Amino acid sequence: WFYFLLAVMNVEANLFIFYALRYSSLVSIMVIDSMAIISAMVLSALWLQHRYVRVHILGASVCMIGICFNIFSDWEADVEHQTSGAQQQGQLNQENLDDPGMT
């Protein structure tokens, strides 16, 4: 029964990953995927008392730096998208004011 429950949990996890891919941006999914490595390291250190050497910590640090770059690029793209959308909306409003026949 134990392995059957593990298999059901694995299927449900894959289903949630499918929904994440369907309803999220690629950058968000990359961040979540990168966090899986770090969370696995932290949980194995806490529950399994696994000791990591400097190379492992260095790899996790590089992974965290990559996560920070992904979050920053996603945030920067979102800000640029919002400002360009506001500029386009302003241009549309100005065109409507210039031509009274437009509604």
Side-chain angles (χ1 to χ4, degrees), residues 5 8-9 11 13 20 24 28 32 34 38 43 45 47 51-52 56 68-70 76 79 85 90-91 93 101:
L5 291 175
V8 168
M9 288 173 37
V11 168
S24 296
S28 299
I32 292 169
S34 298
I38 296 169
L43 291 176
W47 286 344
R51 302 286 178 215
Y52 290 105
H56 296 127
C68 292
F69 281 132
N70 278 337
E76 189 176 55
V79 168
Q91 290 172 355
N93 288 341

Side-chain angles (χ1 to χ4, degrees), residues 57-77:
I57 303 299
L58 178 67
S61 301
V62 169
C63 190
M64 283 297 293
I65 291 170
I67 289 170
C68 292
F69 281 132
N70 278 337
I71 291 172
F72 179 71
S73 69
D74 191 30
W75 175 75
E76 189 176 55

Side-chain angles (χ1 to χ4, degrees), residues 45-103:
L46 292 176
W47 286 344
L48 303 175
Q49 284 80 35
H50 187 275
R51 302 286 178 215
Y52 290 105
V53 295
R54 290 181 183 158
V55 175
H56 296 127
I57 303 299
L58 178 67
S61 301
V62 169
C63 190
M64 283 297 293
I65 291 170
I67 289 170
C68 292
F69 281 132
N70 278 337
I71 291 172
F72 179 71
S73 69
D74 191 30
W75 175 75
E76 189 176 55
D78 190 40
V79 168
E80 287 176 5
H81 178 67
Q82 287 177 356
T83 57
S84 68
Q87 289 172 352
Q88 289 174 354
Q89 185 66 29
Q91 290 172 355
L92 290 176
N93 288 341
Q94 185 62 34
E95 289 173 1
N96 289 342
L97 290 175
D98 291 342
D99 187 9
M102 298 284 290
T103 57

Side-chain angles (χ1 to χ4, degrees), residues 20-36:
L21 291 171
R22 193 169 167 192
Y23 296 113
S24 296
S25 68
L26 182 62
V27 176
S28 299
I29 295 166
M30 288 172 54
V31 169
I32 292 169
D33 188 40
S34 298
M35 284 299 293

